[in-house]
Amino acid sequence: MQLCFATTLTIAILLGNSIKLRAAITGPATAESDGPGSQVCPMCCQGPAGTPGIPGLPGNQGQFGPAGAKGDAGVKGQKGEIGPTGAVGNPGPKGDDGLGLPGKVGPRGPPGVVGAIGESGAKGQKGEPGETPDTSVHQVAFTVIRTSPSDISTSHATLLPFQQAKRLLPGTSFDLGTGTFTCNVPGTYVFTFSVYKYSSNQLFVHLRKNDEWVVSGGSYDSRHSEQVSASAVLVLQRGDSVYLTMYGRATSASTYAYTSFTGFLLYSQ
């Protein structure tokens, strides 16, 4: 900074000397000089113009002024007044009286007077022995078979008769000629059949109750021999009949019972 200040001062001194020199050269002639050599010619005797001085360097930035004084703090507002307390409400009406707890159990009263013992009644006569129930009537079961082939049937309503009873309990009513079981004991029964067919024809067998079709079994395959079978549980009343009908031909033999029909009472009513 001192170097810049010295440089600026030197340039100012040079400019001042240059101005003084120009004034001395171009100044006017004095009044006493009247010869031709004493008059200054302003055009031919004036020297050349001096070179313009070098512009001065810009001055330094001034320092910041001092900070202003801090303003006074504002006045804090006053706290508001507390409002008045509300009035106390009136008490509500009295509630209904509640149920009280049960009272204590009172003392036990004295025992009552024992009454006089009455006379014993006369002993009754011994009853007659009852009849022993006949349980055999409730044992109903059968198994019947064919021992030879049947005739060919072309109607689904053709009865399938049987030729031998393998098991027929007493009280069981079965007609081999029509292949029909007749119910003598009402109850729930189980029935099943298994009928063997020839390989050259079809066979259809139907289990029927009275005139109702219950279950059926059949085979369309005319190239193989097969067993046709089915089973059912029936509720029967006295006089109901159960039998088989068939379409086709059933086969069997005396040695092997290929065709059979079975039924038994599950429980009576």
Side-chain angles (χ1 to χ4, degrees):
M1 182 175 181
Q2 293 178 356
L3 180 60
C4 293
F5 180 78
T7 304
T8 304
L9 181 59
T10 303
I11 294 172
I13 295 173
L14 293 176
L15 290 176
N17 294 334
S18 176
I19 295 172
K20 290 179 179 181
L21 179 59
R22 182 178 301 176
I25 294 173
T26 59
T30 60
E32 288 84 10
S33 298
D34 54 350
S38 62
Q39 294 182 354
V40 179
C41 179
M43 297 300 295
C44 60
C45 294
Q46 186 176 1
T51 304
I54 300 173
L57 296 177
N60 295 328
Q61 184 177 0
Q63 296 180 357
F64 291 100
K70 185 177 180 180
D72 297 334
V75 180
K76 185 176 181 180
Q78 296 180 358
K79 184 176 181 181
E81 297 179 356
I82 300 174
T85 304
V88 180
N90 297 325
K94 184 178 180 181
D96 298 335
D97 295 335
L99 297 177
L101 297 175
K104 296 182 179 180
V105 179
R108 185 175 181 179
V113 179
V114 179
I117 300 175
E119 299 180 356
S120 301
K123 186 177 182 179
Q125 298 179 357
K126 184 178 181 179
E128 298 180 357
E131 298 180 357
T132 303
D134 183 9
T135 58
S136 62
V137 72
H138 298 296
Q139 298 177 0
V140 181
F142 69 88
T143 294
V144 294
I145 62 172
R146 284 195 63 87
T147 58
S148 64
S150 70
D151 296 331
I152 297 176
S153 169
T154 58
S155 172
H156 287 275
T158 301
L159 292 171
L160 176 60
F162 291 87
Q163 299 162 320
Q164 182 180 346
K166 297 293 289 186
R167 179 66 62 186
L168 191 65
L169 296 183
T172 304
S173 175
F174 194 93
D175 185 356
L176 292 175
T178 60
T180 302
F181 166 76
T182 302
C183 175
N184 293 326
V185 180
T188 302
Y189 287 79
V190 177
F191 295 94
T192 179
F193 66 84
S194 180
V195 182
Y196 190 69
K197 83 170 188 69
Y198 280 119
S199 60
S200 59
N201 66 310
Q202 301 175 355
L203 177 64
F204 300 92
V205 182
H206 313 286
L207 176 67
R208 301 180 67 175
K209 170 189 172 184
N210 299 330
D211 293 331
E212 176 187 354
W213 299 68
V214 182
V215 292
S216 300
S219 174
Y220 290 93
D221 190 358
S222 60
R223 297 174 299 174
H224 302 89
S225 298
E226 293 180 336
Q227 286 290 137
V228 176
S229 61
S231 59
V233 175
L234 299 177
V235 177
L236 302 181
Q237 302 299 327
R238 188 182 302 274
D240 287 341
S241 60
V242 179
Y243 54 93
L244 300 179
T245 61
M246 71 169 188
Y247 175 90
R249 189 178 189 184
T251 186
S252 192
S254 57
T255 305
Y256 305 103
Y258 294 117
T259 298
S260 64
F261 182 28
T262 297
F264 60 89
L265 175 64
L266 187 62
Y267 55 87
S268 60
Q269 290 182 353

